Amino acid sequence: FSSSMGNTTMIYLMLCFMLAASLQKTGVADRLAKWFITNKFSRKGPWYLVAMMFIAIFVLASGLSSSSTMLIFLPIFYGIFSVLGYKKEDKAAFPAIMVVSLIVVSQIAQATTPISHAMTLIGMSTYNNYTGEVMDFAQYVGVCLPVGLVVFVLWFLVIKYVLKMDVSRLANIDYDALNKDSKPLTKQEKIAAALYVICIILWVLPGVSKYVFPALAPIFSKIDQCYPPLVAVLLLHFIRVDGEPVLPYKEGLAAVPWTTYMFGGTLLTLGSAIADIGLQVWIADVFGKIVENMSAGLFVVIMIILAVILTNFLSNAVTIAICFAVAMPLVTTVFAGQISPIVIAILITTGASYAFATAPATPPAAIIADSGWVESGKMLKYGMIAAVIAVVCIATIGQALAGVLC
Protein backbone atom coordinates (compact mmCIF):
# COMPACT_ATOMS: atom_id res chain seq x y z
CA PHE A 1 0.00 0.00 0.00
CA SER A 2 2.84 2.39 0.85
CA SER A 3 4.21 2.03 -2.70
CA SER A 4 0.86 2.77 -4.37
CA MET A 5 -2.21 4.57 -3.01
CA GLY A 6 -0.57 5.21 0.35
CA ASN A 7 2.44 6.82 -1.28
CA THR A 8 2.82 10.49 -0.30
CA THR A 9 2.99 11.40 -3.99
CA MET A 10 -0.51 10.01 -4.58
CA ILE A 11 -1.88 11.76 -1.49
CA TYR A 12 -0.27 15.00 -2.69
CA LEU A 13 -1.83 14.53 -6.13
CA MET A 14 -5.30 14.01 -4.66
CA LEU A 15 -4.97 17.14 -2.52
CA CYS A 16 -3.77 19.18 -5.51
CA PHE A 17 -6.80 18.13 -7.55
CA MET A 18 -9.06 19.17 -4.68
CA LEU A 19 -7.26 22.50 -4.32
CA ALA A 20 -7.51 23.15 -8.07
CA ALA A 21 -11.24 22.41 -7.91
CA SER A 22 -11.64 25.49 -5.71
CA LEU A 23 -10.36 27.71 -8.54
CA GLN A 24 -12.95 26.26 -10.90
CA LYS A 25 -15.88 26.21 -8.48
CA THR A 26 -15.37 29.80 -7.30
CA GLY A 27 -14.78 31.08 -10.85
CA VAL A 28 -11.15 32.18 -10.39
CA ALA A 29 -9.92 30.10 -13.33
CA ASP A 30 -12.64 31.33 -15.69
CA ARG A 31 -12.12 34.96 -14.62
CA LEU A 32 -8.36 34.68 -15.18
CA ALA A 33 -8.86 33.17 -18.64
CA LYS A 34 -11.25 35.92 -19.74
CA TRP A 35 -9.04 38.66 -18.32
CA PHE A 36 -6.13 37.49 -20.43
CA ILE A 37 -8.10 37.55 -23.68
CA THR A 38 -10.05 40.79 -23.12
CA ASN A 39 -7.48 43.16 -21.59
CA LYS A 40 -6.04 46.22 -23.37
CA PHE A 41 -2.97 44.36 -24.63
CA SER A 42 -5.11 41.69 -26.32
CA ARG A 43 -7.13 44.40 -28.11
CA LYS A 44 -4.07 45.81 -29.92
CA GLY A 45 -4.44 43.36 -32.78
CA PRO A 46 -5.10 39.72 -33.82
CA TRP A 47 -1.64 38.39 -32.96
CA TYR A 48 -1.73 40.12 -29.57
CA LEU A 49 -5.00 38.31 -28.88
CA VAL A 50 -3.54 34.94 -29.93
CA ALA A 51 -0.48 35.53 -27.75
CA MET A 52 -2.61 36.38 -24.72
CA MET A 53 -4.85 33.36 -25.26
CA PHE A 54 -1.77 31.14 -25.30
CA ILE A 55 -0.34 32.84 -22.20
CA ALA A 56 -3.67 32.33 -20.41
CA ILE A 57 -3.63 28.63 -21.31
CA PHE A 58 -0.01 28.31 -20.13
CA VAL A 59 -0.67 30.05 -16.81
CA LEU A 60 -3.77 28.00 -15.98
CA ALA A 61 -2.35 24.67 -17.17
CA SER A 62 0.79 25.15 -15.08
CA GLY A 63 -1.39 24.83 -11.98
CA LEU A 64 -4.40 22.86 -13.26
CA SER A 65 -4.62 19.60 -15.18
CA SER A 66 -4.78 19.74 -18.99
CA SER A 67 -8.32 18.38 -18.84
CA SER A 68 -9.47 21.18 -16.53
CA THR A 69 -7.76 23.81 -18.69
CA MET A 70 -9.48 22.46 -21.80
CA LEU A 71 -12.88 22.51 -20.12
CA ILE A 72 -12.35 26.23 -19.56
CA PHE A 73 -11.00 27.16 -22.99
CA LEU A 74 -12.81 24.88 -25.45
CA PRO A 75 -16.15 26.71 -25.04
CA ILE A 76 -14.32 30.03 -25.50
CA PHE A 77 -12.58 28.76 -28.64
CA TYR A 78 -15.79 27.31 -30.09
CA GLY A 79 -17.57 30.61 -29.47
CA ILE A 80 -14.81 32.51 -31.27
CA PHE A 81 -14.90 30.08 -34.22
CA SER A 82 -18.67 30.53 -34.49
CA VAL A 83 -18.50 34.33 -34.33
CA LEU A 84 -15.80 34.36 -37.01
CA GLY A 85 -17.92 32.19 -39.30
CA TYR A 86 -15.82 29.00 -39.27
CA LYS A 87 -17.50 25.61 -39.74
CA LYS A 88 -16.04 22.16 -39.10
CA GLU A 89 -16.67 21.00 -42.66
CA ASP A 90 -14.51 23.85 -44.00
CA LYS A 91 -11.37 22.21 -42.54
CA ALA A 92 -9.88 25.69 -42.17
CA ALA A 93 -6.32 26.08 -40.89
CA PHE A 94 -7.08 28.70 -38.21
CA PRO A 95 -9.38 26.60 -35.99
CA ALA A 96 -7.23 23.49 -36.62
CA ILE A 97 -4.04 25.18 -35.46
CA MET A 98 -5.80 26.84 -32.53
CA VAL A 99 -7.28 23.64 -31.09
CA VAL A 100 -3.96 21.82 -31.53
CA SER A 101 -2.23 24.77 -29.87
CA LEU A 102 -4.62 24.40 -26.94
CA ILE A 103 -3.35 20.88 -26.22
CA VAL A 104 0.27 21.73 -27.15
CA VAL A 105 0.46 24.73 -24.81
CA SER A 106 -1.42 22.87 -22.06
CA GLN A 107 1.03 19.97 -22.18
CA ILE A 108 4.04 22.30 -22.33
CA ALA A 109 2.76 23.94 -19.15
CA GLN A 110 2.07 20.52 -17.60
CA ALA A 111 5.75 19.72 -18.02
CA THR A 112 6.89 22.76 -16.02
CA THR A 113 5.53 22.05 -12.52
CA PRO A 114 4.28 19.10 -10.45
CA ILE A 115 1.19 21.00 -9.24
CA SER A 116 -1.91 18.89 -10.06
CA HIS A 117 0.07 17.07 -12.77
CA ALA A 118 -0.15 13.32 -12.34
CA MET A 119 2.60 12.31 -14.75
CA THR A 120 5.15 14.71 -13.28
CA LEU A 121 4.45 13.38 -9.81
CA ILE A 122 4.63 9.80 -11.02
CA GLY A 123 8.05 10.58 -12.51
CA MET A 124 9.16 12.04 -9.18
CA SER A 125 7.91 9.05 -7.25
CA THR A 126 9.39 6.56 -9.73
CA TYR A 127 12.77 8.26 -9.27
CA ASN A 128 12.36 7.85 -5.52
CA ASN A 129 11.53 4.15 -5.96
CA TYR A 130 14.70 3.55 -7.96
CA THR A 131 17.13 5.65 -5.93
CA GLY A 132 15.57 6.28 -2.53
CA GLU A 133 16.22 9.99 -3.07
CA VAL A 134 13.75 12.88 -3.44
CA MET A 135 13.39 15.04 -6.56
CA ASP A 136 13.05 18.53 -5.14
CA PHE A 137 10.15 20.76 -6.25
CA ALA A 138 12.41 23.75 -6.83
CA GLN A 139 14.98 21.68 -8.75
CA TYR A 140 12.34 20.35 -11.10
CA VAL A 141 10.72 23.75 -11.71
CA GLY A 142 14.13 25.44 -12.02
CA VAL A 143 15.00 23.13 -14.92
CA CYS A 144 11.65 22.58 -16.61
CA LEU A 145 10.00 26.01 -16.39
CA PRO A 146 12.69 27.77 -18.49
CA VAL A 147 12.59 24.90 -20.99
CA GLY A 148 8.80 25.13 -21.21
CA LEU A 149 8.87 28.90 -21.69
CA VAL A 150 11.34 28.60 -24.58
CA VAL A 151 9.31 25.81 -26.23
CA PHE A 152 6.19 27.95 -25.77
CA VAL A 153 7.75 31.00 -27.46
CA LEU A 154 9.19 28.91 -30.30
CA TRP A 155 5.80 27.27 -30.92
CA PHE A 156 4.17 30.70 -31.17
CA LEU A 157 6.84 31.83 -33.66
CA VAL A 158 6.34 28.65 -35.71
CA ILE A 159 2.60 29.15 -36.12
CA LYS A 160 3.14 32.80 -37.02
CA TYR A 161 6.12 32.61 -39.38
CA VAL A 162 6.28 28.98 -40.55
CA LEU A 163 2.67 27.79 -40.57
CA LYS A 164 1.57 31.40 -41.24
CA MET A 165 -1.81 31.03 -39.57
CA ASP A 166 -4.35 33.47 -41.03
CA VAL A 167 -5.68 35.62 -38.18
CA SER A 168 -7.33 38.32 -40.30
CA ARG A 169 -10.86 37.46 -39.13
CA LEU A 170 -9.86 38.16 -35.51
CA ALA A 171 -9.73 41.85 -36.37
CA ASN A 172 -13.52 41.86 -36.11
CA ILE A 173 -13.83 40.08 -32.75
CA ASP A 174 -16.14 41.65 -30.13
CA TYR A 175 -14.08 41.64 -26.93
CA ASP A 176 -16.90 42.99 -24.77
CA ALA A 177 -19.12 40.08 -25.81
CA LEU A 178 -16.48 37.62 -24.58
CA ASN A 179 -16.56 39.26 -21.17
CA LYS A 180 -20.26 40.13 -20.96
CA ASP A 181 -20.95 37.86 -17.95
CA SER A 182 -18.17 39.36 -15.82
CA LYS A 183 -19.11 40.15 -12.23
CA PRO A 184 -17.25 41.76 -9.29
CA LEU A 185 -14.66 39.59 -7.51
CA THR A 186 -16.37 37.54 -4.79
CA LYS A 187 -15.12 36.65 -1.30
CA GLN A 188 -14.99 33.00 -2.35
CA GLU A 189 -12.68 33.83 -5.25
CA LYS A 190 -10.37 35.90 -3.06
CA ILE A 191 -10.10 33.12 -0.46
CA ALA A 192 -9.49 30.37 -3.03
CA ALA A 193 -6.88 32.42 -4.92
CA ALA A 194 -5.07 33.47 -1.72
CA LEU A 195 -4.81 29.90 -0.41
CA TYR A 196 -3.59 28.66 -3.79
CA VAL A 197 -0.83 31.29 -3.93
CA ILE A 198 0.22 30.54 -0.34
CA CYS A 199 0.49 26.82 -1.20
CA ILE A 200 2.74 27.57 -4.18
CA ILE A 201 5.01 29.72 -1.99
CA LEU A 202 5.27 26.98 0.65
CA TRP A 203 6.05 24.36 -2.00
CA VAL A 204 8.87 26.41 -3.44
CA LEU A 205 10.40 27.60 -0.13
CA PRO A 206 12.19 24.36 0.91
CA GLY A 207 14.18 24.23 -2.33
CA VAL A 208 14.73 27.95 -2.86
CA SER A 209 15.74 28.63 0.75
CA LYS A 210 18.91 26.54 0.27
CA TYR A 211 20.16 29.22 -2.11
CA VAL A 212 18.45 32.38 -0.81
CA PHE A 213 18.13 31.80 2.97
CA PRO A 214 20.59 28.98 3.79
CA ALA A 215 20.34 29.65 7.53
CA LEU A 216 16.59 29.04 7.41
CA ALA A 217 16.76 26.06 5.04
CA PRO A 218 16.67 23.42 7.83
CA ILE A 219 13.39 24.94 9.08
CA PHE A 220 11.75 25.22 5.65
CA SER A 221 12.89 21.71 4.71
CA LYS A 222 10.46 20.35 7.30
CA ILE A 223 7.52 21.53 5.16
CA ASP A 224 6.28 18.31 3.55
CA GLN A 225 4.68 18.85 0.13
CA CYS A 226 1.38 17.44 1.43
CA TYR A 227 1.02 19.88 4.34
CA PRO A 228 0.12 23.11 2.45
CA PRO A 229 -2.69 21.65 0.28
CA LEU A 230 -4.02 19.59 3.19
CA VAL A 231 -4.38 22.68 5.38
CA ALA A 232 -5.79 24.67 2.44
CA VAL A 233 -8.44 22.03 1.65
CA LEU A 234 -9.50 21.94 5.28
CA LEU A 235 -9.75 25.73 5.41
CA LEU A 236 -11.75 25.79 2.18
CA HIS A 237 -14.25 23.41 3.78
CA PHE A 238 -14.53 25.17 7.14
CA ILE A 239 -14.44 28.80 5.97
CA ARG A 240 -18.00 29.81 5.19
CA VAL A 241 -19.27 32.65 3.03
CA ASP A 242 -23.01 33.33 3.17
CA GLY A 243 -23.41 30.17 5.20
CA GLU A 244 -21.78 27.89 2.62
CA PRO A 245 -18.26 26.37 2.56
CA VAL A 246 -15.96 27.84 -0.08
CA LEU A 247 -15.35 24.26 -1.22
CA PRO A 248 -17.19 21.39 0.52
CA TYR A 249 -14.76 18.47 0.86
CA LYS A 250 -17.19 16.17 -0.97
CA GLU A 251 -17.08 18.44 -4.02
CA GLY A 252 -13.31 18.46 -3.80
CA LEU A 253 -13.20 14.67 -3.74
CA ALA A 254 -15.62 14.51 -6.66
CA ALA A 255 -13.18 16.61 -8.72
CA VAL A 256 -10.40 14.02 -8.37
CA PRO A 257 -10.06 11.97 -11.61
CA TRP A 258 -10.03 8.63 -9.81
CA THR A 259 -9.22 6.53 -12.88
CA THR A 260 -6.04 8.55 -13.41
CA TYR A 261 -5.33 8.34 -9.70
CA MET A 262 -5.72 4.55 -9.62
CA PHE A 263 -3.62 4.14 -12.76
CA GLY A 264 -0.85 6.25 -11.24
CA GLY A 265 -0.86 4.16 -8.08
CA THR A 266 -0.67 1.00 -10.17
CA LEU A 267 2.38 2.30 -12.03
CA LEU A 268 4.13 3.11 -8.76
CA THR A 269 3.48 -0.44 -7.58
CA LEU A 270 4.89 -1.75 -10.85
CA GLY A 271 8.02 0.36 -10.42
CA SER A 272 8.50 -0.95 -6.90
CA ALA A 273 7.99 -4.53 -8.11
CA ILE A 274 10.63 -4.09 -10.83
CA ALA A 275 13.16 -3.15 -8.18
CA ASP A 276 12.11 -5.97 -5.82
CA ILE A 277 12.42 -8.79 -8.37
CA GLY A 278 15.77 -7.56 -9.69
CA LEU A 279 14.50 -6.75 -13.19
CA GLN A 280 16.54 -3.55 -13.27
CA VAL A 281 19.73 -5.61 -12.88
CA TRP A 282 18.74 -7.68 -15.91
CA ILE A 283 17.91 -4.53 -17.91
CA ALA A 284 21.26 -2.99 -16.98
CA ASP A 285 23.05 -6.14 -18.15
CA VAL A 286 21.17 -6.44 -21.47
CA PHE A 287 21.14 -2.79 -22.46
CA GLY A 288 24.56 -2.15 -20.96
CA LYS A 289 26.14 -4.27 -23.68
CA ILE A 290 24.36 -2.18 -26.33
CA VAL A 291 25.37 1.23 -24.97
CA GLU A 292 28.77 0.43 -23.42
CA ASN A 293 30.64 2.22 -26.22
CA MET A 294 28.19 5.11 -26.40
CA SER A 295 29.03 8.55 -24.99
CA ALA A 296 27.07 9.72 -21.96
CA GLY A 297 25.83 12.81 -23.82
CA LEU A 298 24.49 10.75 -26.71
CA PHE A 299 22.72 8.39 -24.32
CA VAL A 300 20.95 11.31 -22.64
CA VAL A 301 19.80 12.69 -26.00
CA ILE A 302 18.54 9.25 -27.08
CA MET A 303 16.53 8.90 -23.85
CA ILE A 304 14.99 12.36 -24.37
CA ILE A 305 14.03 11.49 -27.96
CA LEU A 306 12.64 8.14 -26.80
CA ALA A 307 10.54 9.82 -24.10
CA VAL A 308 9.07 12.49 -26.40
CA ILE A 309 8.39 10.09 -29.29
CA LEU A 310 6.87 7.31 -27.17
CA THR A 311 4.63 9.70 -25.22
CA ASN A 312 3.03 10.87 -28.46
CA PHE A 313 1.95 7.36 -29.46
CA LEU A 314 1.57 5.61 -26.09
CA SER A 315 0.25 7.06 -22.84
CA ASN A 316 2.71 9.27 -21.00
CA ALA A 317 2.44 7.05 -17.93
CA VAL A 318 3.61 4.01 -19.89
CA THR A 319 6.38 6.13 -21.39
CA ILE A 320 7.68 7.04 -17.94
CA ALA A 321 7.63 3.39 -16.86
CA ILE A 322 9.56 2.24 -19.97
CA CYS A 323 12.13 5.05 -19.99
CA PHE A 324 12.89 4.82 -16.28
CA ALA A 325 13.21 1.04 -16.54
CA VAL A 326 15.85 1.48 -19.25
CA ALA A 327 17.67 4.60 -18.02
CA MET A 328 17.92 4.27 -14.24
CA PRO A 329 19.82 0.94 -14.13
CA LEU A 330 22.26 2.21 -16.76
CA VAL A 331 23.07 5.56 -15.12
CA THR A 332 23.98 3.70 -11.93
CA THR A 333 26.17 1.14 -13.71
CA VAL A 334 27.48 1.83 -17.24
CA PHE A 335 27.25 5.62 -16.90
CA ALA A 336 27.90 5.86 -13.15
CA GLY A 337 29.75 9.08 -12.42
CA GLN A 338 29.00 10.44 -15.90
CA ILE A 339 25.24 10.98 -15.72
CA SER A 340 23.51 12.01 -12.51
CA PRO A 341 20.36 9.88 -11.90
CA ILE A 342 18.33 12.97 -10.97
CA VAL A 343 19.32 14.75 -14.20
CA ILE A 344 18.12 11.93 -16.46
CA ALA A 345 15.01 11.50 -14.27
CA ILE A 346 14.02 15.17 -14.65
CA LEU A 347 14.64 15.16 -18.41
CA ILE A 348 12.61 11.97 -18.95
CA THR A 349 9.77 13.19 -16.72
CA THR A 350 9.41 16.52 -18.49
CA GLY A 351 9.82 14.90 -21.93
CA ALA A 352 7.01 12.43 -21.22
CA SER A 353 4.60 15.34 -20.69
CA TYR A 354 5.02 16.67 -24.25
CA ALA A 355 2.19 14.47 -25.49
CA PHE A 356 -0.08 16.10 -28.08
CA ALA A 357 0.35 14.62 -31.58
CA THR A 358 -2.13 11.71 -31.51
CA ALA A 359 -5.30 10.70 -29.69
CA PRO A 360 -3.63 7.90 -27.63
CA ALA A 361 -1.03 10.34 -26.26
CA THR A 362 -3.24 11.69 -23.47
CA PRO A 363 -7.01 12.05 -22.82
CA PRO A 364 -7.06 15.80 -23.67
CA ALA A 365 -5.38 14.99 -27.00
CA ALA A 366 -8.16 12.48 -27.68
CA ILE A 367 -10.73 15.23 -27.05
CA ILE A 368 -9.03 17.49 -29.60
CA ALA A 369 -8.73 14.67 -32.14
CA ASP A 370 -12.45 13.97 -31.77
CA SER A 371 -13.50 17.64 -31.84
CA GLY A 372 -14.01 17.71 -35.61
CA TRP A 373 -11.93 20.87 -35.99
CA VAL A 374 -8.67 19.17 -36.99
CA GLU A 375 -7.90 16.12 -39.11
CA SER A 376 -5.69 13.45 -37.54
CA GLY A 377 -3.01 13.93 -40.20
CA LYS A 378 -2.73 17.66 -39.49
CA MET A 379 -2.76 17.04 -35.75
CA LEU A 380 0.13 14.61 -36.17
CA LYS A 381 2.01 17.11 -38.37
CA TYR A 382 1.60 20.03 -35.98
CA GLY A 383 2.27 17.82 -32.96
CA MET A 384 5.50 16.44 -34.40
CA ILE A 385 6.74 19.96 -35.15
CA ALA A 386 6.16 20.84 -31.49
CA ALA A 387 7.80 17.57 -30.43
CA VAL A 388 10.98 18.36 -32.38
CA ILE A 389 11.14 21.78 -30.72
CA ALA A 390 10.71 20.10 -27.33
CA VAL A 391 13.48 17.55 -27.93
CA VAL A 392 15.95 20.26 -28.97
CA CYS A 393 15.13 22.48 -25.98
CA ILE A 394 15.19 19.67 -23.41
CA ALA A 395 18.47 18.26 -24.79
CA THR A 396 20.19 21.66 -24.75
CA ILE A 397 18.65 24.08 -22.25
CA GLY A 398 17.22 21.36 -19.99
CA GLN A 399 20.42 19.34 -19.79
CA ALA A 400 22.51 22.47 -19.14
CA LEU A 401 20.23 23.72 -16.35
CA ALA A 402 19.97 20.27 -14.76
CA GLY A 403 23.75 20.02 -14.70
CA VAL A 404 23.94 23.31 -12.78
CA LEU A 405 20.96 22.96 -10.42
CA CYS A 406 21.06 19.24 -9.62
Side-chain angles (χ1 to χ4, degrees):
F1 182 75
S2 62
S3 64
S4 56
M5 301 309 164
N7 188 287
T8 55
T9 298
M10 299 309 298
I11 295 171
Y12 170 71
L13 179 61
M14 179 184 68
L15 292 170
C16 281
F17 278 127
M18 295 176 72
L19 185 62
S22 70
L23 299 185
Q24 293 177 273
K25 179 181 184 294
T26 59
V28 173
D30 187 62
R31 179 182 295 276
L32 189 61
K34 288 183 177 179
W35 178 84
F36 270 106
I37 62 178
T38 59
N39 62 46
K40 292 181 180 179
F41 186 82
S42 300
R43 300 181 187 222
K44 288 186 176 182
W47 280 109
Y48 288 91
L49 174 58
V50 172
M52 291 305 289
M53 283 195 284
F54 286 5
I55 291 172
I57 295 166
F58 189 96
V59 170
L60 288 181
S62 63
L64 301 176
S65 68
S66 286
S67 299
S68 297
T69 304
M70 291 183 66
L71 288 174
I72 294 168
F73 278 96
L74 275 178
I76 295 174
F77 274 30
Y78 292 165
I80 291 174
F81 298 161
S82 177
V83 168
L84 297 180
Y86 287 108
K87 297 179 180 179
K88 292 181 179 180
E89 56 268 25
D90 295 337
K91 306 297 181 185
F94 174 79
I97 294 174
M98 287 299 291
V99 292
V100 171
S101 293
L102 174 55
I103 181 62
V104 167
V105 175
S106 292
Q107 291 301 123
I108 291 172
Q110 290 271 291
T112 62
T113 78
I115 306 171
S116 300
H117 303 152
M119 294 308 111
T120 304
L121 291 169
I122 288 172
M124 288 180 159
S125 192
T126 304
Y127 169 73
N128 177 258
N129 286 342
Y130 276 102
T131 65
E133 298 176 359
V134 176
M135 187 187 295
D136 185 74
F137 184 103
Q139 281 180 317
Y140 182 86
V141 175
V143 173
C144 301
L145 181 57
V147 172
L149 289 172
V150 174
V151 177
F152 169 76
V153 171
L154 290 176
W155 173 248
F156 178 80
L157 294 176
V158 163
I159 67 169
K160 183 175 182 179
Y161 296 109
V162 179
L163 300 178
K164 297 181 179 180
M165 182 174 73
D166 181 9
V167 297
S168 58
R169 295 194 195 184
L170 283 176
N172 302 316
I173 197 75
D174 185 348
Y175 294 93
D176 294 325
L178 292 174
N179 204 29
K180 63 181 180 180
D181 298 324
S182 179
K183 298 177 181 178
L185 196 66
T186 65
K187 289 183 180 179
Q188 293 92 328
E189 288 178 278
K190 293 177 182 177
I191 293 168
L195 289 174
Y196 200 88
V197 171
I198 291 170
C199 282
I200 292 174
I201 293 171
L202 292 176
W203 282 325
V204 173
L205 266 180
V208 172
S209 62
K210 289 185 285 188
Y211 308 101
V212 182
F213 310 110
L216 299 175
I219 298 175
F220 291 131
S221 65
K222 295 179 181 180
I223 303 176
D224 186 276
Q225 63 180 3
C226 292
Y227 295 163
L230 175 60
V231 174
V233 167
L234 289 173
L235 289 174
L236 288 166
H237 176 75
F238 287 111
I239 295 176
R240 294 177 175 269
V241 177
D242 299 327
E244 296 291 331
V246 177
L247 179 73
Y249 80 92
K250 289 185 178 180
E251 289 188 28
L253 286 172
V256 178
W258 291 106
T259 52
T260 300
Y261 186 84
M262 296 292 286
F263 187 44
T266 302
L267 285 175
L268 293 183
T269 303
L270 178 61
S272 180
I274 287 174
D276 291 341
I277 66 176
L279 184 58
Q280 65 190 74
V281 177
W282 177 82
I283 290 173
D285 182 56
V286 172
F287 284 92
K289 294 175 182 177
I290 299 173
V291 303
E292 59 184 354
N293 295 320
M294 185 182 294
S295 70
L298 178 59
F299 176 73
V300 171
V301 172
I302 288 175
M303 290 309 304
I304 293 169
I305 294 172
L306 183 65
V308 175
I309 295 300
L310 285 181
T311 199
N312 277 287
F313 295 95
L314 305 175
S315 78
N316 36 25
V318 173
T319 297
I320 286 177
I322 292 173
C323 290
F324 268 87
V326 173
M328 296 312 292
L330 295 178
V331 298
T332 55
T333 54
V334 178
F335 298 107
Q338 301 177 65
I339 302 173
S340 170
I342 192 170
V343 168
I344 196 70
I346 288 175
L347 298 180
I348 288 173
T349 301
T350 193
S353 292
Y354 286 82
F356 31 58
T358 67
T362 188
I367 294 172
I368 294 299
D370 192 49
S371 68
W373 288 105
V374 61
E375 297 171 318
S376 58
K378 287 185 177 179
M379 184 173 175
L380 177 62
K381 172 188 172 182
Y382 301 147
M384 284 294 99
I385 292 173
V388 170
I389 295 171
V391 167
V392 173
C393 291
I394 295 170
T396 53
I397 301 169
Q399 194 170 176
L401 286 173
V404 173
L405 298 176
C406 302

